[in-house]
Amino acid sequence: MTTVTTGTTTVKGAVGVAHTRVEGRDKVTGAARYAGEIPFAELAHGWLVLSTVARGRIRSVETAPVLGMPGVLTVLHHGNAPRVETDYIGLLGNLPDPTAAVFQHDRVPHMGWPVALVVAETSEQAREAAEALVVGYDEEPHDVAFFEGHPGTYTPADVPHAQAVAEKGDLESELALSAVVVDAEYTTPEEHHSPMEPHAATARWDSGRLEVVDSNQGSTWVAEELAKLFSLDPASVRVRSEHVGGGFGSKGVRPHQVAAVMAATALQRPVRVVLTRRQMFSLVGYRSPTAQRIRLGADADGRLRALEHRSLNLTSTVHEFVEPSAGVGRVLYDADAHHTANRVVRLDVPTPTWMRAPGEAPGSFALESALDELAERCGIDPIALRARNEPETGPVSGLPFSSRNLLACFHEGARRFGWADRDPRPGLRREGRRLLGTGTAAAFFPAGAAPSTAAVTAEADGTFTVRITAADIGTGARTALTLIAADALEVAPDRVRVRIGDSDFGPAMIAGGSMGTRSWAWAVTAAAGDLREQLALGGAIPPEGITVRSDTSAAIAALAHKERHSFGAQFAEVAVDVTTGEVRVRRMLGIFAAGRIVNPLTAHSQLVGGMTWGISMALHEEAVRDQASGGHVGADLAGYHFAAHADVPHIEADWVDDPDEDDPVGIKGIGEIGIVGAAAAIANAVWHATGVRHRSLPIRPDRVLLAGTGAGTGTGARDA
């Protein structure tokens, strides 16, 4: 904690001290309004109609019967909807997913493709009419089968967020020279975001401006994309998103916003479109399944000579998305030969998207499981093996690390978890019919930043207002920015009001990539510092206040000379019931090196949330696609399983000091690192309990029973 002096008052620094959420009372009392519940005069309601075939063409849309139903105002489809523009580069540096460009043609590229929007006076009328709408199709054969070796597999071109291939050294030669080789395949299933608040948007025209009230991860992002889609002046589009009930990567530009704008334009009245939980399974993205192959070659002492990681994910036929799972080793471990490659295959499925720790979450399961296998074969403790392969610089980039405290996380975690007392032999600890085991894994996530703007106003009443197009999707960002601004202004937090989620506040980074708070904090700190200097010159504050605006575009470019990451060590203890096959996580511990912790209260919540998701990933989550229909089996929260309260054990999360000497902000972001390595730690613990390796997630009871156990042998692993 720092102490600053302002005038004659001494104020203790707010950053680093636990603070409850500034909007917490509004949320628990219902005063906070979300996108789907803000009232509008003359509000109409839209209901999307989705395709019931997986591939083909729309032959007919029988609108006449529906238009005669009570309350129905219009039916939009490919025959009458406004045209939109899709040939542009979006905010994130790539072409937009055509799924958002609804009703532009008669093609159906996957089950659940938007084919119409029914708009009515009430939501109930819209739903009834949408369910009555008859759409005819000319169906074509489809392919939704994802597997390694699919003939459509290819290597994509590099994109800003996913380098396809990285190579150094002679892989086959180093493997041939290795005393120990691990060659294994790992798979992860399709997984879905399922935020508590469904996607919702209300569009209206107001005095020549398009206003959209939306649930998103970046109002700047959505406003810019809508302006390009509808060929509008960016200044004529305003997107507001004050409160968001979760996003995890799914809340970008989606069909519901575009459809709402189309309908509001056609009817010249506000139109709201809210997605159902079932619709979200096909319209808002998901984590692609992966098929990964790891080959590790090492000397007898465990030093890596060769590291190969090849990962395959699926994408749709309309848009390419790469799940960069093979990139994990490019940061974590060095080797004389280092080959990593991401590959994709196009199928008749919806487009995947970013989902909490995209690439790192599934990739760490494969690599950290393989490292555990290598440790077993070398007879080396898993933590000691990782320490033996700790790189001095980026294993592929060669760049220095700004800070790298991974081993400090392992040392502290091992001490608190009781790792030294662990018998490394599998299948020996038993309580009744349950076998017990412990496992560990490494975690990392990039610590990036993106240009953002912020405005800070000194008000005449002695308070300060911060305006920035940030998004608080449940992370506590609004509170963190309040604390950061208070320290930068050298005042108490109760004198600072932070306003977010409004594209009129200017360009800013989205809430994604664990870069939001870091990017916004930089902009707020810069503006507050300039304002403080102005106020130091003296003079009265006018009634309209004194405002200073910052832009961090130039400053952020200076960070490119180093690799910047958060690191962590995950530990898990499991109990495996040999009669039922049920795996129960008994306790988890995560120790992280994540730079400057702004608010310990919400930081702890974020890390525990990520680790909880890791339990879901390891044991529960698995979206199943029916090969015959091309659609999901159980596309709802009854059929899609995730960890419930009873599945979540005692979880501890903490951090070590992680200073970054040349970073002016020092914040690294913690929204995603909590899930990285968590599934691997649990899978490694299951091996330690049973003596059987499970290389496919989730580790369901039927898979445990089918694989059996090698319990009591105290010798090497069997494979599931």
Side-chain angles (χ1 to χ4, degrees):
M1 185 191 305
T2 59
T3 301
V4 298
T5 301
T6 171
T8 59
T9 304
T10 298
V11 180
K12 290 184 177 180
V15 170
V17 180
H19 285 260
T20 57
R21 297 171 187 261
V22 296
E23 83 286 8
R25 181 178 293 275
D26 287 345
K27 285 183 173 177
V28 299
T29 60
R33 295 293 185 93
Y34 291 82
E37 57 186 10
I38 296 174
F40 286 88
E42 299 185 326
L43 178 65
H45 298 265
W47 201 278
L48 283 168
V49 179
L50 308 186
S51 69
T52 57
V53 302
R55 183 180 177 89
R57 291 187 179 275
I58 302 169
R59 184 176 63 252
S60 62
V61 182
E62 299 180 19
T63 60
V66 167
L67 289 170
M69 294 179 69
V72 174
L73 300 170
T74 190
V75 179
L76 297 179
H77 54 87
H78 72 279
N80 63 5
R83 300 297 93 186
V84 295
E85 176 62 51
T86 59
D87 187 17
Y88 66 87
I89 300 298
L91 179 69
L92 302 183
N94 50 15
L95 290 168
D97 184 346
T99 306
V102 292
F103 319 139
Q104 298 299 293
H105 52 75
D106 64 353
R107 290 288 319 169
V108 174
H110 62 75
M111 175 79 78
W113 177 263
V115 296
L117 179 78
V118 178
V119 187
E121 295 287 355
T122 70
S123 178
E124 292 80 7
Q125 291 170 334
R127 178 172 188 169
E128 183 181 10
E131 292 176 349
L133 182 68
V134 175
V135 180
Y137 302 95
D138 291 324
E139 194 169 357
E140 300 171 3
H142 63 265
D143 180 9
V144 299
F146 174 76
F147 56 91
E148 177 64 49
H150 191 289
T153 298
Y154 68 97
T155 300
D158 290 341
V159 296
H161 313 286
Q163 182 183 358
V165 178
E167 299 179 288
K168 76 170 187 180
D170 189 328
L171 182 71
E172 298 302 331
S173 293
E174 294 298 337
L175 284 169
L177 293 170
S178 297
V180 182
V181 174
V182 170
D183 185 345
E185 295 181 356
Y186 304 84
T187 65
T188 61
E190 179 179 322
E191 300 167 355
H192 286 259
H193 306 76
S194 300
M196 286 191 293
E197 179 201 14
H199 296 59
T202 305
R204 69 169 179 174
W205 287 94
D206 183 16
S207 302
R209 293 192 79 196
L210 173 63
E211 181 180 16
V212 178
V213 177
D214 186 35
S215 177
N216 63 53
Q217 294 181 226
S219 295
T220 297
W221 179 15
V222 176
E224 288 190 7
E225 297 267 342
L226 289 177
K228 290 174 179 175
L229 280 164
F230 288 95
S231 302
L232 299 172
D233 180 353
S236 70
V237 181
R238 182 188 188 190
V239 174
R240 294 189 291 125
S241 186
E242 185 175 0
H243 296 290
V244 182
F248 312 117
S250 71
K251 286 187 174 173
V253 182
R254 299 297 179 193
H256 67 292
Q257 299 132 327
V258 180
V261 173
M262 287 180 172
T265 303
L267 297 174
Q268 287 300 297
R269 60 186 286 187
V271 176
R272 173 171 295 156
V273 180
V274 180
L275 298 186
T276 67
R277 186 66 61 180
R278 182 172 289 274
Q279 288 173 341
M280 288 164 59
F281 273 77
S282 63
L283 292 183
V284 301
Y286 54 95
R287 197 194 303 281
S288 167
T290 69
Q292 304 177 56
R293 183 185 182 188
I294 306 283
R295 289 199 293 172
L296 302 177
D299 293 333
D301 64 358
R303 188 187 70 82
L304 285 171
R305 302 183 68 100
L307 187 157
E308 181 187 34
H309 190 168
R310 298 169 62 85
S311 180
L312 174 67
N313 72 270
L314 61 73
T315 191
S316 70
T317 60
V318 298
H319 187 65
E320 181 183 270
F321 180 82
V322 179
E323 180 81 19
S325 302
V328 179
R330 298 172 187 174
V331 173
L332 282 180
Y333 306 112
D334 203 358
D336 297 319
H338 208 291
H339 288 208
T340 53
N342 295 298
R343 299 166 300 144
V344 293
V345 58
R346 294 188 185 277
L347 299 175
D348 301 313
V349 296
T351 307
T353 194
W354 301 280
M355 182 169 169
R356 199 173 198 170
E360 286 83 3
S364 65
F365 163 66
L367 183 59
E368 290 301 293
S369 296
L371 259 290
D372 206 64
E373 297 196 41
L374 181 64
E376 173 209 345
R377 296 188 188 185
C378 292
I380 298 172
D381 178 82
I383 296 177
L385 178 74
R386 288 166 172 82
R388 197 156 297 172
N389 291 287
E390 178 75 356
E392 295 184 2
T393 60
V396 175
S397 71
L399 294 174
F401 292 102
S402 61
S403 64
R404 184 181 170 103
N405 287 306
L406 175 59
L407 295 186
C409 294
F410 271 116
H411 293 157
E412 176 63 12
R415 182 188 68 80
R416 291 174 54 168
F417 196 73
W419 189 261
D421 298 329
R422 176 185 192 258
D423 187 328
R425 295 173 297 171
L428 296 182
R429 291 177 60 203
R430 180 185 287 269
E431 286 184 1
R433 68 188 194 191
R434 293 177 176 84
L435 295 170
L436 308 182
T438 53
T440 189
F444 93 95
F445 199 80
S452 297
T453 61
V456 182
T457 301
E459 308 288 0
D461 63 0
T463 63
F464 298 85
T465 302
V466 176
R467 293 176 178 84
I468 185 167
T469 313
D472 191 332
I473 60 174
T475 59
R478 182 188 276 101
T479 306
L481 293 176
T482 300
L483 307 183
I484 289 163
D487 279 8
L489 292 165
E490 300 182 352
V491 299
D494 59 8
R495 289 176 60 189
V496 177
R497 180 191 178 202
V498 174
R499 296 184 58 193
I500 64 172
D502 189 333
S503 62
D504 275 1
F505 295 159
M509 174 58 188
I510 66 171
S514 294
M515 293 194 289
T517 299
R518 173 172 164 79
S519 303
W520 306 323
W522 202 328
V524 169
T525 300
D530 290 346
L531 177 60
R532 196 177 67 246
E533 290 181 6
Q534 284 198 27
L535 296 177
L537 299 176
I541 298 176
E544 69 274 14
I546 299 174
T547 300
V548 170
R549 173 169 288 278
S550 67
D551 185 339
T552 60
S553 300
I556 285 176
L559 294 181
H561 63 290
K562 288 185 178 180
E563 285 205 12
R564 299 178 189 274
H565 308 277
S566 296
F567 292 94
Q570 303 271 18
F571 294 83
E573 180 180 43
V574 303
V576 182
D577 190 317
V578 298
T579 303
T580 66
E582 181 185 35
V583 178
R584 282 281 181 181
V585 177
R586 288 194 163 187
R587 61 187 175 113
M588 289 188 74
L589 169 67
I591 302 293
F592 302 93
R596 182 186 183 203
I597 302 299
V598 178
N599 185 356
L601 184 63
T602 50
H604 179 267
S605 177
Q606 282 294 292
L607 294 171
V608 168
M611 295 167 69
T612 301
W613 200 332
I615 297 174
S616 268
M617 181 179 179
L619 305 179
H620 302 284
E621 293 197 46
E622 181 180 25
V624 178
R625 193 170 292 277
D626 176 54
Q627 301 295 306
S629 70
H632 283 112
V633 177
D636 50 46
L637 296 189
Y640 180 75
H641 293 174
F642 50 83
H645 191 273
D647 298 304
V648 180
H650 180 60
I651 299 179
E652 293 182 85
D654 210 339
W655 43 85
V656 299
D657 288 339
D658 187 34
D660 194 339
E661 300 300 333
D662 66 347
D663 189 321
V665 179
I667 298 167
K668 288 189 172 180
I670 53 174
E672 290 165 278
I673 192 172
I675 191 176
V676 182
I682 293 169
N684 292 339
V686 171
W687 168 80
H688 187 233
T690 65
V692 177
R693 289 281 176 194
H694 287 267
R695 300 192 181 103
S696 293
L697 296 183
I699 306 174
R700 302 189 313 248
D702 61 310
R703 288 175 171 170
V704 174
L705 292 176
L706 183 63
T709 74
T713 64
T715 57
R718 289 171 49 206
D719 300 332

